[in-house]
Amino acid sequence: MKKAGQNKVFCLVIIRKPSKITPDDKSMTIKKGKKRKISYELPQGSTSSKITFSSSNKKIATVSSAGVVKAKKKGKAVIPVQSGSKTVKCKVTVK
């Protein structure tokens, strides 16, 4: 039973998935044994959804869930950066 003066308030929340991911560098060169973080930007107004990273060649370079690339041995690898259905690739060269 509702008492006088009690009102319900509803709040509409709109979640905007990123329309694209923009890495600060689409390619990077790292010396063997060193680490470097992949920086990226999401469009203004989009909500921060889960960003995932992986490596095309874990013998050359590995990547953490935070986007930190560790150079293991000389060669090339591709690190896909994914948010929802959007993916962008960052090329890594280890010297």
Side-chain angles (χ1 to χ4, degrees):
M1 191 164 162
K2 216 173 172 183
K3 293 182 182 178
Q6 288 184 338
N7 294 319
K8 290 185 179 182
V9 177
F10 295 95
C11 182
L12 176 63
V13 177
I14 298 172
I15 298 173
R16 293 186 182 141
K17 292 184 178 180
S19 57
K20 65 180 179 175
I21 307 167
T22 307
D24 290 344
D25 296 314
K26 289 192 179 186
S27 64
M28 59 174 70
T29 301
I30 311 172
K31 290 185 179 180
K32 180 181 167 185
K34 300 292 182 180
K35 294 179 182 180
R36 186 166 167 192
K37 183 167 174 52
I38 296 177
S39 300
Y40 58 89
E41 292 181 22
L42 298 175
Q44 188 174 13
S46 64
T47 58
S48 177
S49 59
K50 184 176 180 178
I51 305 293
T52 58
F53 304 89
S54 58
S55 175
S56 66
N57 193 338
K58 293 180 182 176
K59 292 179 181 179
I60 303 296
T62 58
V63 62
S64 72
S65 60
V68 178
V69 178
K70 182 177 181 183
K72 301 194 80 149
K73 73 177 205 178
K74 290 182 180 182
K76 294 184 180 189
V78 176
I79 308 293
V81 181
Q82 185 172 7
S83 175
S85 63
K86 304 298 178 188
T87 303
V88 67
K89 295 177 182 178
C90 180
K91 296 176 185 175
V92 176
T93 303
V94 178
K95 297 235 175 188

